[in-house]
Amino acid sequence: MDPLTLLTAIIFLPAAGALALVAFDRKAEETMRYFALAITAATFMLTLFLWREFDSAKSEMQLVVNLPWIRQWNVNYYLGVDGISMPLILLTSLICLLSMMASWSIKKQVQGYLMLFLILETGILGVFLSLDFFLFYVFWEVMLLPMYFLIGIWGGPRKEYAAIKFFLYTLAGGVLMLIALLMFYFNSGRSFDLLHLAAIGQGKVEGFAFNPTVQIIAFILLFIGFAIKLPAFPVHTWLPDAHVEAPTPISMILAGILLKLGGYGIIRIAFPLCPFGAQYAAYALVLIGAVSIIYGAFAAMAQTDFKRLVAYSSVSHMGYVLLGMAVWKINEANGAAVGRDYWLMGMNGAMFQMLAHGISSAGMFFMVGVIYDRVHHRDLNKFGGLMQLMPDYSGLAVGIFFAGLGLPGLCGFIGEIFVVLSTWNYSKTLAIVAASGVILTAGYILWTIQRVYLGPEYKGPHAEDITPMNGREKAIAWTLLIFAIVLGVYPEMMFKVMRSSMDALIVSLDAGYQAVSAAVETAQK
Amino acid sequence: MNFESILTGVMNDASWGRSLGLFAPELILCVSIVALLLLRLVNADRWLPSYLIPLFASLTALGIAVYSFFQMHGAIEGIPTPGTTQTMFTGLLAYDSLTLFLRVFLLGFLALVVTLTMLSGIPDAEDGPDFYTLLLGSTIGMMLMSSANHLLILFLGIEMTSVPSYAMVGFLKGRRVSSEAAFKYVVYGAGAAGVMLYGISLLGGLTGTLEMPVLASRLSALLGPGGMNDPTSRTVALAAMMVLVGLAFKLSVFPFHFWCPDAFEGAAAEVGGYLSVASKGAAFALLVRFLLAFTGGTSVDLTSLNLALGVGLGVVAAATATFGNLAAYSQTNVKRLLAYSTIAHAGYMLMGVAAMVVLLNGPGGVDAAAKGEAATCIEGLLYYLAVYLFMNLGAFAIVAFIRNEIYSEEISDYAGLGRQVPLLGACMMICLFSLIGLPPFGGFVGKFMIFASLFQAGKIHMAMWVILVIGTLNTIFSLFYYLRVLKVMFLESRPEGARRARVSFMPSGAFVLLVTLPLLLLGASPLVNSMSDAATRVASMLVAAVR
Amino acid sequence: MNGAALFWFFAAVTCAGAVAVVVSQNVVRMAVWLIVALGGAAGLFFQLSADFVGATQLLIYVGGTIVLLIFGVMLTASGPYLRIKTSPGEGFLAAGVGLLFVLVLMSTVLTIDWNAGRLKLAGLGKVSADAYETALHKEGLSESDRTLLEQAYQPSAKADHAAEPAPKSGPAVAENPEAADSHGSAPKPGDVHSVPAALAYELNPGRRLTSAEAARLAALFGQEKAVVASAMPAQGDTIRPLGLALAGLRPDRDLNKVHAKAATTPGYLLPFEIVSVHLLVVLIGAAYLARTKRRRVEAS
Amino acid sequence: MAGVDLTAYLLVGAVLFVCGIVCMATKRNGIGVLMGVELVLNGANVNFVAFSRYTSLGLDGQMMSLFVIVLAAAEAAIALAIALNFYNNHQTIDVDRGSELQG
């Protein structure tokens, strides 16, 4: 299959499925569910096929598609995959498939729900595959619309508030990104090509350069935009509301994939396009990352709502992503990175943490959803003793929670340890802070397990509704747990995909910063 | 020289024949007005539905306009050269690509509005001929506005547009709000036209001409140094401001917007949709022409005056967008909310015009680069207008169809309609998201182009960057009130006992779909390229004429 | 009768009428004062030898439009609102704003040196040093002429401007049809940059010129007829030119080109015709609004 | 006509214009406002005709004023029809009395 067909099919197959859903009778809900499931499964298959076509040894963009779209504005339909986007694409199609399976719990307006779900998947895959900034922006915003309705219509009691808050935050971030986009466009001789812009940002293109002011301003704008999505402290406040109010499958997508878009944006756009700005802000980023870790952990500890706890744990976990990316220490004299291998380790750790969190947080939200569907409450103080009532469920849940906790042998461990180790090189204090985050995480997760699954007896309402998991639910939980174990035991599976691209990225960022700072030095003299 | 010889002279003059040929679309509309009247004399309106004639006329005229548009654009491949601008009727009207673009825009819109009124049943069979006469008359005025090349036509076009539209706003004459809206509209409108005329008189007296293309060179010759200390500069600024007041009134730009919410609430939704799009399109074309007439020449004094004018327009635009968006919050009536949204959108579009003026009056003068960048601004404006046509007409059409079902235009009565009429709900969603300016809908591309031109203009005057930031912030402000409508429609459930809405797919649903589908096409399909290409050509041809 | 006195009479009538319209508290009186003001304006039109416009003003405006307005007043007259009370505060505010407007207009419109503007447009705003010297050393130049020349012109302060390839007066001369006729003796645009930049002369902004002085200046540069002679014949008789302009011809612009019209001079045939369509539309609209909704009696 | 030149006519035009503006701003009666509009239009007309006499605007100025007179008549006709309609619905022509549209 040629790249154009393959990549286009991956992006637009879900959207086409959404369109096809219009033709179904509104009453044939079960048929529609299976149809939508088939679409997401087919998309997953296509991404597996993409993985097979993908050559891990190469560091550059592969399977590139570049067709003109809006000629006057140099906007292209420009797609491609590299080692950074490949794992995330796999994660996306997998989580979408699983949360589509989890969508059987949605009972009202099924047709609309499935259509919006599929459009959302198109938006996410489009973001991961775009290499044109304009296209990236379009897909980025496309995700907003279905998400608003998915939270707003099928959400919990405060759904309207949560939906508009989510919309507002993300749109604000998007608008900042738009300004940065214009800055790049007009300072680059009118190009939206992310690779070309990155080359300019790294001082590799004759005749064009983003000067330090542009780099710093643009980086800050981009960073705020992505940090909202990530979410980093202090712009994370939309997340607990959105997660709590969203229906289970949507929470899975939110935590499992949407948060990764923030990290992906930073790696794909903010860092390469303005290395000078990134380095300039590195300390602040590390600090924000560390604060997010600790803040998220403490906040999680204070929650009594099960879903809110998982939501804050996401803030904490995504803090590692930011921390790992930003541990870029330089030699003040010549601008070269000090301990570049550590930084590389941090970057790899951050990437892996995104994948691991994608699996574990989706799993955690799913597990919360399973029990919520039965007892219709999420008050941590009104659980207990589920181990006796639902042994299968509790076993799987504990496994997944341990993955989130970062138990060695499970996926969460690898990313966190990589990030903490690399931070040691950057700042020992912050490394200790980050490591203490691991302990806090262990604290609140163990406490949660104790309160929910252990304990003498179930204390909450609807005890009579507690039934064992059905086959569909077991399949989802098992899949997630297996992935958590596989990634924990054999992280190389993903590391080998991203390694060469990551290496190349670090090298070019380092060189890019040196080039730009050398130019600044010359200008100052 | 007696009458006969004059007549022979005129008849033998080939340029009249040529002008009449180029003027064919407008002539068709004139003829159909007369036909509407004559048919009534023979009582033909009893058996002939009155919408047939305007529909037929607008489609025929549209065909001619589209043909001539493509003919003109086929003739100029690549970058057009100056001198491709032609005039009609001894220089009273410009016949250039903007004229043709606006003709296609207005006539296409007219056809859509006639179809809408046909489907929604306002006006009824009895009032049809009157209504369509006003509609056609007003459209002729708009077409004159968009091709004005002479200050008389500028005034005449505005009057011809306004006067019938006053009557259209008051068309539901038995309703108190309708007559009140029309009364306020006519009183304020006449005042604005008067102020504008005084400005024209000053401008004409100063430059000794009413022809717009020579204004710039004459002003360059007239203006003295010293900026506002020079009485001539002061007078020119005053006159320009007075003319702009008249245009600002038509555009419902802050602080001349006050008529707009009243008029839209009082008028039928169909009329509101018509006024919000068509008169805005024509007024923007006229504004661009008027401001381009001021641009050019080599005088530093004129350039600095223009630059101040451009920045002033930008500030007004930012204020308009902000005001429109903030005032829309507290509205409970859909039409009133859309009216404030119209004001806000006028603000966005005005930002593009301001950027154009600033870019053309930079320190580098009117060189090729400045022209290219100014062309981008006009391109953005035209793209925005094209998208705006569909999104606003779509929204107003949906309001009209829903009004026919539930007899209400209050937002609170829309509760749960998203489920009851899913097609209209989905289309409303697309229209409103496009109005917010979100991809993948056309509104985003237009807004993006406007913001891009503001960014470029910021390099000449820093204030434009501030305006850009205000513009982007406004996108966020606007989110709330558009989402409020959607929230009510989708997130709330239809209360028990509320009137049930039933809108069949044929023909109403199909019409709404026809109007909203282009939003998607103009936002995320290869059509974006074609549209932007057409707009670029129009813009660069227009700018090429600036000397 | 003295023309100036007549002007002041009409001006006083017009202004007094206008002020009275503002001050009046009664709509009917306002309408009557409006007749006075517009009638006075018609007198001014006659005074300006625009006889046809004056007649139209009397016929259509005073005779038609105001009658329409008075009808409106009568048809909508309901006791309490016939008299309009304006509170003193509002009155003062309005007077203040009005005064401000007058001041703004005074400071702009009325301070302009219109004659200088006309000279500038004709290309006499900036003259080459050669042309200036020639005029100054003309045979038989009177002392007053010499003073006028010396006071009206000063060496160009902005030397860099005169040196630019396209001098300010260039395009204006080329496009001004009146100036174009007398191109032979007018300074050619080329002259300006053949002399040292500082030696161009431009109008002295500090010296305001009267009509007579402007005319004299133009004469000194050999441009009697083209520029300063009033654009309209002073004795009136504008009906024929106006009628021809409405038919699309412009004999006032160029008598020799009546049949082969110069494409740049607008004839007003189009607006003349299109206004008729407009009036038709307005007629129908007004008739619709004014009539009560008729209910058609169905045959069944 | 010594002493009378363009400026004097412009002064009359300015007075008419300002009176018209003040009239529009202060009158509550809709027809009163329309009279203010007529004054403004006449101010412009006086300007046009004066310019046509004294500047190179020439016949264009008179032409413009003729069109203005015609257009003003048309506008007055529609405005009065609307005023009558308003009066029939509200029993008043006080512009401030129309209070149904607010916000």
Side-chain angles (χ1 to χ4, degrees), chain B residues 275-305:
Chain B
L275 288 184
S276 70
V277 176
S279 78
K280 204 144 286 182
F284 267 113
L286 185 52
L287 180 67
V288 167
R289 280 197 195 282
F290 180 71
L291 290 171
L292 284 181
F294 262 64
T295 310
T298 49
S299 160
V300 189
D301 306 306
L302 183 62
T303 307
S304 62
L305 183 73

Side-chain angles (χ1 to χ4, degrees), chain B residues 137-390:
Chain B
S138 174
T139 309
I140 295 173
M142 289 168 187
M143 289 163 87
L144 285 182
M145 274 167 83
S146 61
S147 51
N149 204 31
H150 190 274
L151 293 174
L152 170 63
I153 299 291
L154 185 150
F155 182 71
L156 184 69
I158 285 198
E159 281 290 293
M160 282 188 73
T161 306
S162 309
V163 175
S165 55
Y166 303 146
M168 273 157 70
V169 167
F171 200 76
L172 306 169
K173 57 186 178 185
R175 288 180 57 212
R176 287 168 67 95
V177 278
S178 180
S179 60
E180 183 185 334
F183 195 44
K184 285 185 176 173
Y185 189 22
V186 71
V187 164
Y188 296 136
V195 173
M196 180 175 198
L197 186 73
Y198 196 82
I200 294 177
S201 79
L202 291 182
L203 216 50
L206 269 175
T207 56
T209 182
L210 294 172
E211 291 164 76
M212 287 174 21
V214 295
L215 277 186
S217 57
R218 295 216 172 171
L219 286 176
S220 325
L222 271 178
L223 288 190
M228 285 297 128
N229 292 327
D230 177 35
T232 316
S233 296
R234 275 206 302 269
T235 309
V236 171
L238 188 74
M241 270 193 283
M242 283 176 166
V243 176
L244 290 178
V245 164
L247 284 171
F249 180 84
K250 281 272 96 183
L251 293 171
S252 66
V253 160
F254 181 84
F256 305 101
H257 62 277
F258 40 78
W259 60 274
C260 179
D262 289 350
F264 280 29
E265 188 180 345
E270 294 86 344
V271 175
Y274 173 75
L275 288 184
S276 70
V277 176
S279 78
K280 204 144 286 182
F284 267 113
L286 185 52
L287 180 67
V288 167
R289 280 197 195 282
F290 180 71
L291 290 171
L292 284 181
F294 262 64
T295 310
T298 49
S299 160
V300 189
D301 306 306
L302 183 62
T303 307
S304 62
L305 183 73
N306 277 335
L307 190 62
L309 206 63
V311 175
L313 275 180
V315 172
V316 170
T320 306
T322 314
F323 173 84
N325 282 327
L326 293 183
Y329 273 55
S330 54
Q331 303 309 322
T332 56
N333 180 295
V334 185
K335 282 192 301 191
R336 218 173 160 81
L337 182 133
L338 286 174
Y340 280 108
S341 131
T342 301
I343 295 174
H345 282 273
Y348 293 129
M349 288 188 252
L350 193 59
M351 286 180 194
V353 178
M356 175 199 84
V357 177
V358 169
L359 283 169
L360 278 176
N361 291 287
V366 191
D367 54 2
K371 281 185 178 181
E373 280 164 5
T376 319
C377 304
I378 302 177
E379 179 200 350
L381 175 71
L382 296 178
Y383 201 101
Y384 207 114
L385 275 176
V387 175
Y388 184 73
L389 184 161
F390 292 109

Side-chain angles (χ1 to χ4, degrees), chain A residues 115-133:
Chain A
M115 287 172 68
L116 290 170
F117 185 107
L118 291 173
I119 293 171
L120 177 67
E121 187 176 359
T122 287
I124 302 169
L125 288 167
V127 170
F128 283 133
L129 284 167
S130 305
L131 293 180
D132 184 282
F133 206 166

Side-chain angles (χ1 to χ4, degrees), chain A residues 279-461:
Chain A
Q279 168 53 38
Y280 179 85
Y283 197 82
L285 301 195
V286 172
L287 210 60
I288 293 172
V291 170
S292 297
I293 294 171
I294 301 299
Y295 172 84
F298 274 118
M301 216 174 270
Q303 300 307 318
T304 55
D305 183 315
F306 204 170
K307 239 180 164 179
R308 233 179 155 79
L309 177 139
V310 181
Y312 274 110
S313 85
S314 287
V315 176
S316 175
H317 283 137
M318 294 308 284
Y320 286 102
V321 175
L322 186 55
L323 185 62
M325 287 189 291
V327 289
W328 180 2
K329 193 173 186 179
I330 51 156
N331 181 339
E332 293 294 340
N334 60 5
V338 176
R340 201 167 76 189
D341 291 343
Y342 289 105
W343 181 28
L344 175 61
M345 190 174 171
M347 275 280 195
N348 277 323
M351 264 306 285
F352 198 85
Q353 174 73 359
M354 289 208 270
L355 299 175
H357 180 256
I359 300 285
S360 67
S361 70
M364 289 196 273
F365 275 114
F366 177 66
M367 286 311 183
V368 177
V370 168
I371 188 68
Y372 182 76
D373 285 345
R374 284 165 175 71
V375 298
H376 303 289
H377 80 91
R378 295 187 300 256
D379 189 340
L380 281 169
N381 296 323
K382 291 186 183 164
F383 285 114
L386 286 183
M387 194 65 99
Q388 284 96 34
L389 297 168
M390 308 173 70
D392 286 2
Y393 164 73
S394 304
L396 286 166
V398 169
I400 287 171
F401 275 86
F402 277 147
L405 182 157
L407 198 71
L410 292 170
C411 60
F413 175 70
I414 314 283
E416 288 180 15
I417 198 74
F418 268 44
V419 168
V420 173
L421 284 177
S422 63
T423 313
W424 187 260
N425 173 53
Y426 188 80
S427 155
K428 299 198 173 47
T429 329
L430 288 175
I432 293 166
V433 171
S436 66
V438 179
I439 298 166
L440 288 171
T441 311
Y444 68 78
I445 286 192
L446 289 174
W447 190 31
T448 307
I449 290 174
Q450 187 201 348
R451 282 190 286 178
V452 176
Y453 301 103
L454 308 177
E457 58 178 0
Y458 177 70
K459 299 192 283 283

Side-chain angles (χ1 to χ4, degrees), chain C residues 22 24 27 38 47 57 61 68 72 76 81 94 98 110 114 118 178 230-232 242 245 250 252-253 268, chain D residues 9-11 18-19 26-27 29 31 38 42 51-57 59-60 63 80 87 93 97:
Chain C
V22 177
S24 258
V27 194
L38 301 192
Q47 192 66 18
Q57 167 97 351
Y61 234 129
L68 208 61
T76 57
Y81 299 111
L110 304 180
W114 294 92
R118 223 166 351 138
E178 288 126 294
S230 347
M232 290 310 304
L242 279 173
R250 289 304 295 271
D252 60 317
R253 284 285 150 117
Y268 289 93
Chain D
Y9 285 97
L10 293 184
L11 186 64
V18 173
C19 285
T26 53
K27 300 291 173 190
N29 185 308
I31 293 179
E38 304 301 341
N42 257 273
F51 283 134
S52 112
R53 169 74 176 74
Y54 286 103
T55 73
S56 54
L57 191 59
L59 208 52
D60 287 344
M63 207 44 125
L80 284 170
Y87 176 77
I93 42 168
R97 290 264 162 165

Side-chain angles (χ1 to χ4, degrees), chain C residues 29-106:
Chain C
R29 286 206 186 133
M30 276 170 67
V32 175
W33 283 121
L34 191 64
I35 293 182
V36 172
L38 301 192
L44 289 176
F45 293 162
F46 287 120
Q47 192 66 18
L48 283 163
S49 11
D51 38 11
F52 186 65
V53 181
T56 316
Q57 167 97 351
L58 282 179
L59 282 172
I60 297 189
Y61 234 129
V62 184
T65 310
I66 299 215
V67 170
L68 208 61
L69 282 172
I70 292 177
F71 265 125
V73 174
M74 287 160 146
L75 287 171
T76 57
S78 59
Y81 299 111
L82 193 60
R83 291 176 65 83
I84 325 152
K85 278 266 179 272
T86 318
S87 70
E90 270 182 343
F92 279 117
L93 189 71
V97 172
L99 216 59
L100 196 75
F101 258 116
V102 173
L103 286 178
V104 168
L105 284 175
M106 291 277 226

Side-chain angles (χ1 to χ4, degrees), chain B residues 172 175 177-178 181 260-270 272-273 324-343 395-396 398-400 402-403 406-415 428 432 435 481-482 484-486 488-489, chain D residues 100-103:
Chain B
L172 306 169
R175 288 180 57 212
V177 278
S178 180
C260 179
D262 289 350
F264 280 29
E265 188 180 345
E270 294 86 344
N325 282 327
L326 293 183
Y329 273 55
S330 54
Q331 303 309 322
T332 56
N333 180 295
V334 185
K335 282 192 301 191
R336 218 173 160 81
L337 182 133
L338 286 174
Y340 280 108
S341 131
T342 301
I343 295 174
F396 274 103
I398 292 167
V399 171
I402 290 181
R403 172 206 64 207
I406 65 170
Y407 305 113
S408 167
E409 284 158 348
E410 294 299 311
I411 296 176
S412 51
D413 292 335
Y414 275 39
M428 190 69 163
L432 293 189
L435 283 167
Y481 64 90
Y482 289 123
R484 195 153 57 88
V485 179
L486 292 176
V488 171
M489 286 183 85
Chain D
E100 259 143 65
L101 292 169
Q102 251 160 28

